[in-house]
Every structure is written in structure tokens, then in C-alpha cells.
Amino acid sequence: MKKMTHLNRYAATLAVAFILSACGGDDGTPGKPGEPGGPPAMTVDTLQITIDDVTMQSGIATVNYRVTNQDDEPVVGVPSATFIAAQLLPQGYTNAGNSSQWQFFTSQNCPARCTGDYVDYKNGDYSYTFDAPFDGMNDISYQAGATQRLVIKMGGDSLADGTVLPVTNQHIDWQAPTTGPSAEPAYTRNIVTMATCNSCHNDLAFHGSNYNQIETCVTCHNADRVSNPDNIFPQMVHAKHLSGFPGSLANCQTCHVADDTLSENHNWTRVPTMEACGACHNNIDFKAGQGHPAQADNANCIACHNPDWTANVHNDGGNDEALGQFEASITSASLNGDTVSFTLSLRNPASGQLYTDSANNLNFVADLRVYANWGTSFDYATRSPRSIRLQEEVPIAGSDGRYSYQITGVTVPAGTEMDLGALAIQGKVCAANGVLGDCSDTTNSEVNIKSSHQFFSAQALSDSGRRVVVTNDTCGSCHGDQQLNFHGSRNDLEGQCQLCHNPNMVADATDNPSTATADYKHLVHGIHSGQREGYESINYPGNLGNCAQCHSQQAGVLTAGLPLYAGVKPLAITGDLYTSPTAAICSDCHASDSATNHMVQQGAVFKGSLADASALTESCTTCHGQGASADVLKVHPIK
């Protein structure tokens, strides 16, 4: 809460009168005396609402706030706003074991259906006074000691001069007696952030795109506002994610991210309730005793489902803790002819100690493999990299946690000896309750380690290699950190998958080749767009055109907007046919006849000879290159 309030600022300089130049059709009349607001905003790319305070007079609330643009310039003449008020009852208030609950008072839209007093002071400052005391609104009793929330929704309309105002929501949590200024609340309920939701969904907004903050959603989606219990926010959100969720439903922290800035970020473990838990465990009727001992209410939930238990069963039984005790990394590598020599280090990150035995002598190692492929500049020489299983391999040399191995038969095309290669590690360890254990013990289960990759030259390891187009972090924003496991235990989406899923894969000529090939860059586009066979029902949660959802940046530029490497091969199609490289990428999403014709006019080759598809006739970058008139990064809705 600011020390100098909105009202104090107005009273500070009574002798000063100022005339604002016309903005948004404003008549330029003097604003309320006080601190000048500065020149009015002439462009409004974003709206910023700063809520100064809320004051109460005989139970009637007045909110004072300021509206500015992206450059902190006052926005004058905002024609309308919506004001939503709610009250938070603390945990356990309604009954032992119940979570804290929002209670809806009112939503007032000014000036269209304005029953209160909406004031524009013509200097960027505004106020709104509700039409009546909150006490009794919607049959809710105002509790002076409870946390109150006031939400201001603004935008979606235009200033008088036609300037379109973007939508924004802002809220303030406060508490106050029925007469007097507001103060900081003693408690509130903030469980997840909109940034976490948007890591998958991209700019979520509902009800005509007017409401785009969780703090707004919960003020209405509560038992005192909605008639259907399924539309109360926790139940509604949990239920909607049961179908098509891209990660493990057991991993609550995909959404309930640990965040100390959230007052209730551990609520999901601390406050188990039939309502929240039953939204996912929807095969249970708690009150009838079906699928669970009968429970009349939430009073006894915590007796069995304490925070440690809840956290443990929702993170796969302590697998993360077990994985924190094992790390395999390559510390050196080199190439001689078709043989890769490398040294592997095995350590316990939790203790910092190296394991003194090699993988074949560690009883908790169920599977540990290293794959090798060569040729990072042209996306690898073969679709079948060579590999060894270290739990069955006696090291060539080594001791004390560092052991040497060789992989033979690696394909190295003539003339590419100065290129780079990649080694990828995958595997499984055995564990129970967060502790590594003997794989012969049936009480232990196998847990996939986090796969990794390392580039190398003929002489040594290399920090550079194949361009990183997507990262495990960007994939993990929806799927969980390396929790997508393919072919047993491969989960390094950033660099491991490409060792096999590369241009040496061949597409089916009878389908759209870009979505029929298993080449990684095409495979992933086809899966996420629902065009690949078997994935037609995919429900991508974001905007498909927002390439930044998955693509990483290189030197500050999104990789989706960078030209392809010159060594990238054409897309191989059955029948010895090929599609030129850039057209093959673009047609992953842009597969219409008109898009294909456009690409052909610009030199693209579809299902032609290898010579034609490799002739570099594509002129796509003329218009779509970095900084060009139709730059890829400009024409896609990238956030």
C-alpha cells in the first residue's frame, strides 16, 4: 500500500490547475486539483492500473486508482470499467477441514449499467464508489476482519478518438472496518499464477476475452456466484484438465509450482478436501463411502492425508528424490576412424560423492546406455546410431567413479571428419520411497533417469554442436521436466531424440510427407497440430502459431525465425522423391493448396528429384527472412 494515498495526492497542491491537451476526444477541461498527471498518452499498447486505496464510508467502498500506458503516461477518457467485489472466508471458517472460500458480493459495470459513481478526473486518476454497502449484497454478510478483494477490469472498448484499449485486469486485497481506510489483509488465497497457466495455454482469457487473471476468475467462480458446483474454480479447473493433459496427472506441481511469492502455494498438500480431490479422483463418492471410507465432511481428511503423504504419492513415490542421488555424465570423448572413446562419471549429486564402482557393479542400475551418431551440421549420418549397455559392459579402464568405454562401427561419411558428433545417455535405476535400492529386490521399482547428450569432435568434447531448436525446459513447460519417456527411457527431447529421428527417416508418399516422416522437426509439428496419424484428437492447449511456446532463442533470436543450416537435407519421401528443406518445414503447418502453390512460385520443390530439391532455388528468405517485410517472427502470433 502506498504511503501517499490517491486522496492525499489530490489534496497536496490545491493551487495548481492544469489543462491537458485533448486525448481520446477529451474536452481538455481541468482535472481535479492536485499533482499534475503529465502529458496524456497518445498511444496505448498496454493498460496499467495502479490501485491506490479503498476507503469505506458507512459500509460503502470507494476505490481510487490510476490508469497509464506502457510508458507510464496517463490515459484519459477511459469510457468504462467493471468492478467486482468479493470476500474471503479463512480456512476452517465454514467447517473444520474446509479450505478458505471466496464469497461474491457484486459486479458493477460502468457506465453502461452503472449504479455507483464513476469519476474520471481527466489526469489519469479515477475513482469508483459502489452503489450500496457490501453487507447484505448477494445475501453475504460483510466481515470487517475478513480479506476483501476488489477487481477492476478495463479495456475492450475505445477512447473517443478511436484508440482501442487492450483488456487488463487488476486486483487489490484489503481489509477495512465499515468506515475508514483500507489496510493490508492478514491473509489471502493465492495458489497458482497466470504465468504458470500460460506456460501451456498462451494468454488465457474468458467471457469474451475480458477476464485474464486467476485472481479475477475466483471472485466469480465460487459457491455464492455459480449455480453448478462443478463450476466452482478448483473443481472446474481440475476436471477440465483430466482429458488431454500433456503431462502426468499425478504431478500436481505442473500447475501448483512451488513459489514462495504465493501465500498458499502449498495448499494442495496442506488442505485436502473432498471437493478438490474428488475433481480428479472422480470415481469416488466420499459421502456414500464408494471407493473410500465414508466421510460426512472434510474434518478428518488431514488425519490420513497429511502434507508429506500427499506430496509423496503425487510425485511418483519419491522418484525425484531417488533421481537426485544418481547422475551419469560424459567427461571426455574422441573419435578415431569409426570408434568413439569416452569416459563416464557416475556420482551422487546429493552427497557430491563419486560412485567408486562402474555401472556393471552397481546393483541399483537397471539399465544404462550410451548412443553415438556423427555429423551435427547435417543432422547425423544414420538413423541407427551405435550403442552399448553399460550395465553389461566391463570398462576398458578406469577407477573411482570414472570409467572408459568405446563404441565401434560409428558411420562417419568421407570428408566429414572435421564435423562433430553426439553421445546420448539414457537409463533406469531402481528405487523405493525416494531411496536407490537393489534391482533384485521386488519392493523397488524402476525409475527413468533424465537422459542427456554431449557433443564432441575427433579430439575432445565440444560446447557447440547441433543448433538447439527446442529445449527440455520449453517442452517441460507443458509436459513436465523430461517426463515424456519414449522407447522405454528416452526423454531428452532437446538433443537425444534427433540421433534417430533425423533426415534419414523416409516419409510416406501417399500422405502429407511433412506429417508422415519421423524426422524430428516434422514429427513434432505433426503431432502437436493433430495432423499425424494416431494424434488426430490432440488438443493443443496454446496457439499453434505461437512458435515461442516450444522454440528456444539463439543469440536473442527465436530459432523459428532463423534460416535453416545449409547442411539441412531435403525431406526424403518413398519412391526416391524429395521436398526442398524450407518448404518441407513450412508445410508442416501450412499444407493447403494455396500455400503449396505460393512456395512453388518461390522456388520450392515438392516430391521432386534429389538434385532439384537440393538446388537451393527457394527464395523464402526474401520476404520471410529476419527483418524482411513478412518476417516469420512478424507474421506468426508470437508471444
Side-chain angles (χ1 to χ4, degrees), residues 542-628:
N543 186 332
L544 272 173
N546 180 18
C547 308
Q549 183 72 35
C550 302
H551 280 264
S552 62
Q553 291 195 350
Q554 186 175 43
V557 179
L558 196 69
T559 53
L562 295 174
L564 295 178
Y565 275 143
V568 173
K569 300 174 182 177
L571 170 62
I573 307 168
T574 54
D576 205 25
L577 301 174
Y578 297 86
T579 294
S580 50
T582 303
I585 288 289
C586 296
S587 59
D588 286 347
C589 296
H590 303 284
S592 66
D593 290 342
S594 60
T596 300
N597 291 336
H598 170 75
M599 287 183 255
V600 169
Q601 290 169 3
Q602 307 307 316
V605 173
F606 286 88
K607 296 183 181 180
S609 68
L610 177 60
D612 288 343
S614 306
L616 304 179
T617 55
E618 295 175 320
S619 60
C620 309
T621 56
T622 303
C623 294
H624 299 296
Q626 197 173 342

Side-chain angles (χ1 to χ4, degrees), residues 15-40:
V16 178
F18 55 91
I19 303 295
L20 293 175
S21 59
C23 173
D26 184 67
D27 58 11
T29 56
K32 189 170 181 178
E35 181 181 302

Side-chain angles (χ1 to χ4, degrees), residues 16 31 154 228 249 251 302 339 350 365 423 483 537 542 552 560 605 610:
V16 178
M154 188 175 290
N228 184 350
L249 281 170
N251 182 15
I302 194 66
T339 300
V365 174
L423 292 164
Q483 292 189 24
S537 62
S552 62
V605 173
L610 177 60

Side-chain angles (χ1 to χ4, degrees), residues 62-82:
T62 296
V63 58
N64 303 292
Y65 59 99
R66 182 168 179 78
V67 183
T68 56
N69 70 351
Q70 65 281 354
D71 299 316
D72 201 32
E73 298 169 333
V75 178
V76 178
V78 176
S80 69
T82 298

Side-chain angles (χ1 to χ4, degrees), residues 325-456:
Q325 301 159 33
F326 180 77
E327 180 183 72
S329 59
I330 294 169
T331 59
S332 67
S334 60
L335 176 72
N336 184 12
D338 67 352
T339 300
V340 177
S341 300
F342 65 93
T343 300
L344 189 78
S345 168
L346 302 178
R347 62 185 291 268
N348 182 338
S351 67
Q353 300 297 309
L354 289 168
Y355 288 106
T356 55
D357 281 328
S358 56
N360 58 310
N361 291 319
L362 294 174
N363 63 14
F364 59 80
V365 174
D367 185 25
L368 190 61
R369 309 185 193 194
V370 177
Y371 292 77
N373 210 338
W374 185 258
T376 61
S377 68
F378 50 89
D379 275 357
Y380 303 115
T382 175
R383 57 169 289 180
S384 302
R386 305 291 293 178
S387 66
I388 57 173
R389 303 181 65 179
L390 303 188
Q391 79 276 14
E392 299 175 351
E393 191 87 8
V394 176
I396 294 172
S399 62
D400 297 331
R402 293 185 176 88
Y403 295 90
S404 300
Y405 301 88
Q406 288 185 337
I407 299 176
T408 60
V410 177
T411 300
V412 181
T416 69
E417 294 82 2
M418 300 304 292
D419 208 312
L420 298 171
L423 292 164
I425 303 172
Q426 71 177 64
K428 301 179 181 182
V429 292
C430 298
N433 301 317
V435 179
L436 297 176
D438 192 333
C439 290
S440 64
D441 186 343
T442 57
T443 62
N444 292 316
S445 57
E446 293 184 352
V447 183
N448 291 328
I449 69 172
K450 291 183 178 180
S451 304
S452 61
H453 65 282
Q454 177 69 61
F455 299 113
F456 67 98

